[in-house]
Amino acid sequence: MRSVRARAALGATLVVAVALTAAGLAVLLVLRGNLTDRAGLEAEVAAREVARQLALDVPYAGLDLGDEEVHPVQVTDEAGRVVAVSKDLEAVSGTGVTRVVPVPSAAAPSAGDDDDDDGGDDDGNDPARREVSSDTPGFTNGTATVDGERADYRFAAVEVTTSRDVTLTVHAGAPLAAEQEAVSTVRTSMLTGLPVLLLVVAGVTWLVTRRALRPVEGIRRELAAITASEDLGRRVPEPDSRDEVARLARTTNETLTVLEASVDRQRRFVADASHELRSPIASLRTQLEVGEAHPELLDVPGAVADTVRLQALAADLLLLARLDAGERPGRTAVDLGTLVREEVSRRAADRIGPAVSVRDPDALEVTGSRAQLARVVGNLLDNAERHAVRSVAVSVRADRGDVVVEVTDDGAGVPEAERDRIFERFVRLDDARSRDDGGAGLGLAIARDVASRHGGTLTAGAARDGGARFTLRLPGGAATDPGRQARNG
C-alpha cells in the first residue's frame, strides 16, 4: 500500500463497490416494489370481480371464482366467518382468517331475493346499498396451499354490501413467484457480475495510474542521477502532455536552472574572491620581506594602503556572505535626507565635492538598517567620484510613496548593454580595471543586494547632461512592505 498505484486502484475499487452496491440495492427495491404492486393489482381485479357478483346477489355456491390456482379467493362476513372459498384452497395465511371451510349457517342470498328490487322497500332492498366499496383495498402478503402446493401470494381485501345489508370481505390472492424469481435472477446476476466489474475497475485504474505516473518515475530517476553525479547541467524529461506531471517537470527544470546558476555564481564568487585577495596579500608580503632584508627600502605607506585595501575587501566579502545567508535588515526608521547629508559631510577630502539636493524633507523616512543604507550611499558616491570629470550630484526626493536617491556624475557614463552587468560581483568595465582606481568590483553589487533586501531597487541609467545616473528607490513609510520585500529579495 506504499504505492500510489495500489492506493489509487484500491480507492477507485472501493468507491465503485459502494456505488454499485447502493445502486444494486435500489434497483432490487424498485423491482420488488413494482412487481409486488403488479401482483397486488391482479389480486385487486380478482377480488373486485367476485365482489361485483356478490353485489348482484349471486349465491355463494354459484360464484365464479376464476382460476383458483392463480387467484385463490376467500370471502368472510362481518363476524370473520368464512362464507365462500376457492375449491382447492387447503390452507391460507395473511388474510386474518386461516379457516378455509365455509360456515354452513351463514346467511346466503337466494335467487329470488331481488325480484322487487326496482322500487325498493323497507326490507333493505335499496339498490344504493348493493355496492362494492370504492375505497383503496387493503394489501397483505401471505401464503396459500392450493391443491397441495404451497406458495407466497399478495392478497387484496375488498368490501361489498349485499342487498340484505350484509357486508362481506373478499380476499383474493395473486402469486408472488414471478416477483421472487425476477428479484432472485437480478440479485444473482449482480452478485456474479459485481466481482468481475470490480476486478476490471481495479485493473484499469492500476494501468491508467501506472501510465500517468510513468513520467514521474522518469523524473525521479533523473533527479537521483543528477544528485549522484552532481551535474546540475542535466534536466529531467518533460512529457508532451499539458497536465500536472508536465508542469511538475517544467518547474523542476526551472528549479535546476536557478540552482545551477546559483552554484555557478557561488563558484565564480569564490574564485574571484581568491583572485582579489591574492594580489594585496602578495604585495604586502613582498613589501614586508623587502623591509626585513633592507629596512631602508621598506614602503610603509604602500604596506598601509595594501592593508587598508585588504581590510575593505574582507569587509565587503563578509557583508556579501551575510546577505547571501539571508540576513534581514534592521527595522529602524532612517531619514534618507539626513543620512545623505551625513555621508557627504564625511567626504570633505574627496577630489570632487558632491552637490546635495533634498526635497520633501518630511517624507523621506524608510525602515531598515542605517549602517547598510549608509554603505549603499557611500558606494554610489565612491563610484560617481571615480568616474566624474568635474561634478557629482546627489538628490533625495519622495515619489508616490517611495523615497528616491539619485547619484549622477559627468563622466563617460555606462553603456546601455552594460547597465545590468555592472551590478554583478567582481565586474569592472574596461575603463575601471585598474586595481588602484577601480576597486574590486563589489561596490555596486553590494549596493543592489542591500537595496533588494530593503524591498527596493537600484538601477543605472544616463544622466540628463551625460554621464551616469544611479537611482535608488526604497519604499517609504514606517515599515517595509513584506510582500514587496519578498518579491525583490
Side-chain angles (χ1 to χ4, degrees):
M1 294 308 297
R2 295 182 180 181
S3 169
V4 174
R5 294 193 298 269
R7 290 198 297 268
L10 179 60
T13 303
L14 290 177
V15 171
V16 173
V18 172
L20 290 180
T21 301
L25 291 176
V27 169
L28 289 177
L29 291 175
V30 172
L31 179 62
R32 184 190 297 274
N34 289 338
L35 294 177
T36 301
D37 291 342
R38 189 180 71 175
L41 180 60
E42 292 179 6
E44 180 183 357
V45 171
R48 288 191 180 277
E49 177 60 26
V50 175
R52 184 184 65 79
Q53 298 179 51
L54 292 174
L56 296 176
D57 291 333
V58 175
Y60 298 146
L63 291 175
D64 181 6
L65 301 182
D67 190 345
E68 299 175 352
E69 293 184 0
V70 178
H71 300 296
V73 177
Q74 181 188 57
V75 182
T76 60
D77 60 13
E78 296 175 333
R81 296 173 298 180
V82 177
V83 298
V85 69
S86 296
K87 179 178 62 175
D88 295 328
L89 182 62
E90 300 174 1
V92 65
S93 66
T95 62
V97 180
T98 59
R99 183 181 178 85
V100 293
V101 179
V103 179
S105 60
S110 63
D113 285 342
D114 56 351
D115 292 343
D116 300 326
D117 284 350
D118 293 340
D121 55 30
D122 295 335
D123 296 330
N125 295 327
D126 186 352
R129 304 182 66 178
R130 298 159 57 186
E131 60 183 12
V132 180
S133 173
S134 60
D135 295 338
T136 301
F139 293 99
T140 57
N141 290 340
T143 61
T145 303
V146 181
D147 197 15
E149 295 184 3
R150 187 174 183 272
D152 294 326
Y153 286 85
R154 179 74 167 171
F155 289 99
V158 177
E159 292 186 352
V160 59
T161 303
T162 67
S163 60
R164 302 180 63 182
D165 200 19
V166 176
T167 299
L168 303 174
T169 302
V170 180
H171 296 276
L176 294 175
E179 174 263 348
Q180 294 173 346
E181 182 178 358
V183 171
S184 177
T185 301
V186 173
R187 182 173 56 246
T188 301
S189 300
M190 289 183 175
L191 292 177
T192 302
L194 181 60
V196 176
L197 183 58
L198 292 180
L199 287 176
V200 172
V201 170
V204 172
T205 304
W206 177 277
L207 293 177
V208 171
T209 307
R210 179 182 180 182
R211 181 179 179 85
L213 294 179
R214 187 176 300 161
V216 177
E217 179 62 21
I219 294 173
R220 187 201 65 78
R221 286 197 299 266
E222 186 62 26
L223 282 176
I226 292 173
T227 302
S229 64
E230 298 183 357
D231 181 8
L232 295 178
R234 300 173 61 173
R235 296 294 180 266
V236 301
E238 295 186 15
D240 297 332
S241 60
R242 298 182 179 179
D243 55 9
E244 293 83 353
V245 177
R247 292 196 291 272
L248 171 64
R250 285 192 293 271
T251 303
T252 302
N253 285 335
E254 291 171 359
T255 302
L256 289 173
T257 300
V258 174
L259 183 60
E260 181 185 17
S262 176
V263 172
D264 289 343
R265 186 170 60 251
Q266 190 69 22
R267 289 172 179 171
R268 289 196 306 270
F269 175 77
V270 173
D272 292 339
S274 300
H275 178 72
E276 293 293 337
L277 287 171
R278 186 183 298 116
S279 296
I281 291 176
S283 176
L284 182 59
R285 178 180 177 179
T286 299
Q287 294 182 52
L288 292 177
E289 288 177 347
V290 170
E292 181 181 15
H294 306 282
E296 69 280 3
L297 299 179
L298 179 62
D299 183 10
V300 176
V304 171
D306 285 340
T307 304
V308 170
R309 181 183 173 201
L310 185 61
Q311 182 181 12
L313 182 58
D316 288 344
L317 293 176
L318 180 60
L319 177 56
L320 285 174
R322 293 204 308 268
L323 294 176
D324 288 341
E327 179 183 279
R328 293 182 177 273
R331 301 190 60 81
T332 305
V334 180
D335 188 317
L336 281 186
T338 303
L339 179 66
V340 168
R341 289 193 180 97
E342 291 177 355
E343 286 300 311
V344 171
S345 66
R346 294 193 183 98
R347 310 175 69 89
D350 283 357
R351 177 174 61 89
I352 300 175
V356 180
S357 173
V358 177
R359 290 181 289 173
D360 307 315
D362 296 331
L364 302 179
E365 189 175 273
V366 299
T367 300
S369 169
R370 184 178 184 86
Q372 292 184 9
L373 293 176
R375 183 68 174 274
V376 173
V377 174
N379 288 355
L380 293 178
L381 291 175
D382 288 341
N383 181 77
E385 183 186 8
R386 186 177 300 120
H387 298 90
V389 178
R390 288 183 299 272
S391 66
V392 174
V394 55
S395 65
V396 187
R397 72 179 189 279
D399 181 29
R400 293 176 296 180
D402 294 338
V403 180
V404 179
V405 178
E406 285 187 350
V407 179
T408 60
D409 61 70
D410 61 349
V414 182
E416 186 173 355
E418 304 288 345
R419 288 176 184 172
D420 282 332
R421 197 173 72 90
I422 60 173
F423 292 105
E424 297 179 8
R425 298 173 184 182
F426 299 104
V427 170
R428 290 185 294 266
L429 301 184
D430 291 340
D431 61 350
R433 288 194 177 275
S434 170
R435 296 190 184 277
D436 295 332
D437 298 329
L442 293 177
L444 294 179
I446 291 175
R448 171 168 275 191
D449 283 352
V450 171
S452 178
R453 296 293 176 182
H454 283 74
T457 59
L458 177 61
T459 58
R464 181 177 304 176
D465 300 327
R469 180 182 74 244
F470 288 85
T471 304
L472 171 66
R473 180 180 291 269
L474 297 173
T480 301
D481 179 11
R484 180 172 180 178
Q485 180 171 335
R487 290 191 298 272
N488 290 280

